[in-house]
Amino acid sequence: MYRQPPEPDPAHVDPAVLGALLARHGWRRHGGSTGRYARFTPPGDAKSGAGVLVPADRAFPDCTDLLAEALAALARSPEPSAPLVRTALAVPSDEVSWEYGAERRAGPARWADAERLSAAARAMLLAGALAARRPAGFYGARLRPQAARDVERTLLGPGAHVARLIAFVPAPESRGVTATLLRALHGTRDAVDHQRATGGMEAFDNAVELGVCHELTEALTALVRGTEGVRIALSWAPAHPPPEGFAAAPEPVEFTPCDVPALQRAAVRYRHREPSLPVRITAAVTRLSRSAATGPGRVRLRVLAGADVTEVRTSLDEEAYRVAGRAHLAGVPVRLSGRLESRGGFRRLTGASGVRPVPLADAGRDPMPKPPPEDLDFFDQAYRDG
């Protein structure tokens, strides 16, 4: 999400896509030879910047050369939208934009505002990726590595003016993220309107299936607070048709500071209402600690299978702690049951029981470190007993 955009390759640019992107960003189309090319000039005064000549299609003679000239003209153009068009050509993507109104401050305060809003926008994209994988009111640590991978190729940067952010979400591979996010934003808008009209929160409960969640309401709160409002819009990648059931030009969604109390109440509600989950996990013991040489202790586990988190902590009785300690020394995983507690963001396992060493062949998705040359008779007996 922090990469510099690659350079578009004129040999692979679709002239129709270039024309659609220019039109999306307000460039004006002028005449040209019918069926051969069209000329686009920047928004506003046609004399304010050089035009761009776009061939009708790739069958046009010297199409690649003309497109190379068009891309070079965009690179030289002072028009703020020109870099956005070049990025969208290099990374075919759905565009999510955040346009906000706020008092423009100078110096470090303005940079702090930009960083805060950028962080909130990234959090919103991650919330969309989480919901695209599985609807839930609160995710905590669940599914975060997978969701982060879903948006890792997204490019996020300033829009055509200082009060705008824009994200280029690769399409079609990440289209599930943008479609889910759009549906969830409209669901959130409807739920907020219902809460403000009736005082009831039930609309937020029903909106979970649309992708609304704690993470999204928190991101929206961070985006809106301290501004005059945020307008969020989505434009589909021109090279791919809209997803089934979605409009070709989706309606933008707007939120204002007046919506913050409802969003905050929803965030708290989602976090408190998400139940703990019974799980049976296979995990590598990464850390052990206890206050005395004997008795119960605490362990940290790297989850290999059985739960949508990467790491959990749990407390074990003396016998279970001894099993975990031997497993750690031998470099073999353990298997145990318990409940993932939502109060800790699903990072804590309570009621741990049935702690047993597991043969490496049955360990799960990740490799274990090589066991040290120790006496493993204890584990041989454990395997037989298990």
Side-chain angles (χ1 to χ4, degrees), residues 19-177:
L21 290 170
L22 290 168
R24 172 184 296 175
H25 289 280
W27 289 61
R28 299 179 182 181
R29 177 171 178 158
H30 302 273
S33 178
T34 304
R36 300 183 68 188
Y37 64 86
R39 180 171 172 265
F40 287 83
T41 56
D45 185 357
K47 298 180 181 178
S48 64
V52 174
L53 201 64
V54 180
D57 55 51
R58 294 209 65 91
F60 186 78
D62 300 325
C63 176
T64 299
D65 292 339
L66 286 172
L67 288 170
E69 292 174 7
L71 294 176
L74 286 171
R76 295 190 302 267
S77 174
E79 166 58 36
S81 65
L84 305 180
V85 173
R86 286 172 55 85
T87 298
L89 287 171
V91 184
S93 39
D94 297 330
E95 297 177 25
V96 183
S97 63
W98 296 265
E99 187 169 345
Y100 55 93
E103 293 183 8
R104 308 316 305 157
R105 297 189 285 175
R110 179 170 173 178
W111 283 109
D113 286 346
E115 284 298 312
R116 177 177 60 82
L117 290 166
S118 179
R122 290 193 294 268
M124 182 179 294
L125 291 169
L126 183 63
L130 287 165
R133 284 189 164 268
R134 183 187 309 160
F138 172 59
Y139 292 94
R142 292 184 297 166
L143 297 171
R144 280 188 174 265
Q146 300 94 314
R149 287 195 295 270
D150 291 342
V151 294
E152 67 182 356
R153 292 184 59 234
T154 295
L155 298 172
L156 180 65
H161 54 82
V162 294
R164 195 169 186 241
L165 289 171
I166 189 165
F168 297 89
V169 186
E173 54 266 43
S174 296
R175 167 115 338 146
V177 174

Side-chain angles (χ1 to χ4, degrees), residues 310-346:
T310 57
E311 186 178 89
V312 295
R313 295 178 175 84
T314 190
S315 297
L316 301 176
D317 60 29
E318 182 173 10
E319 176 61 22
Y321 187 86
R322 184 171 71 89
V323 174
R326 291 295 302 276
H328 180 62
L329 290 174
V332 298
V334 294
R335 186 167 291 153
L336 67 161
S337 300
R339 297 190 72 86
L340 279 178
E341 288 293 334
S342 61
R343 286 175 297 174
F346 297 101

Side-chain angles (χ1 to χ4, degrees), residues 149-377:
R149 287 195 295 270
D150 291 342
V151 294
E152 67 182 356
R153 292 184 59 234
T154 295
L155 298 172
L156 180 65
H161 54 82
V162 294
R164 195 169 186 241
L165 289 171
I166 189 165
F168 297 89
V169 186
E173 54 266 43
S174 296
R175 167 115 338 146
V177 174
T178 49
T180 301
L181 180 59
L182 179 63
R183 186 186 297 114
L185 287 169
H186 283 282
T188 304
R189 179 68 266 169
D190 291 343
V192 168
D193 291 342
H194 182 273
Q195 193 280 329
R196 292 180 61 182
T198 67
M201 297 293 291
E202 59 273 11
F204 281 103
D205 299 335
N206 298 332
V208 169
E209 289 302 315
L210 299 176
V212 186
C213 58
H214 168 88
E215 286 75 9
L216 179 60
T217 52
E218 288 243 301
L220 280 168
T221 299
L223 275 168
V224 172
R225 186 184 286 122
T227 74
E228 296 172 2
V230 176
R231 182 178 185 267
I232 306 165
L234 188 148
S235 299
W236 307 114
H240 303 282
E244 186 176 355
F246 288 87
E251 287 291 324
V253 190
E254 297 185 7
F255 295 90
T256 71
C258 296
D259 300 323
V260 168
L263 292 169
Q264 290 177 319
R265 288 183 59 187
V268 172
R269 184 182 182 90
Y270 284 138
R271 188 181 184 101
H272 288 173
R273 289 201 165 201
E274 192 70 17
S276 60
L277 303 172
V279 293
R280 181 169 174 80
I281 65 171
T282 302
V285 181
T286 59
R287 187 173 181 180
L288 302 100
S289 65
R290 60 181 174 182
S291 57
T294 59
R298 296 176 297 278
V299 299
R300 183 181 298 171
L301 303 164
R302 177 168 61 90
V303 177
L304 304 175
D308 293 320
V309 293
T310 57
E311 186 178 89
V312 295
R313 295 178 175 84
T314 190
S315 297
L316 301 176
D317 60 29
E318 182 173 10
E319 176 61 22
Y321 187 86
R322 184 171 71 89
V323 174
R326 291 295 302 276
H328 180 62
L329 290 174
V332 298
V334 294
R335 186 167 291 153
L336 67 161
S337 300
R339 297 190 72 86
L340 279 178
E341 288 293 334
S342 61
R343 286 175 297 174
F346 297 101
R347 296 177 178 88
R348 181 168 180 79
L349 187 74
T350 61
S353 62
V355 182
R356 309 292 293 179
V358 179
L360 288 173
D362 300 333
R365 62 178 182 265
D366 292 337
M368 291 288 295
K370 184 178 180 180
E374 296 189 7
D375 181 5
L376 300 184
D377 289 344

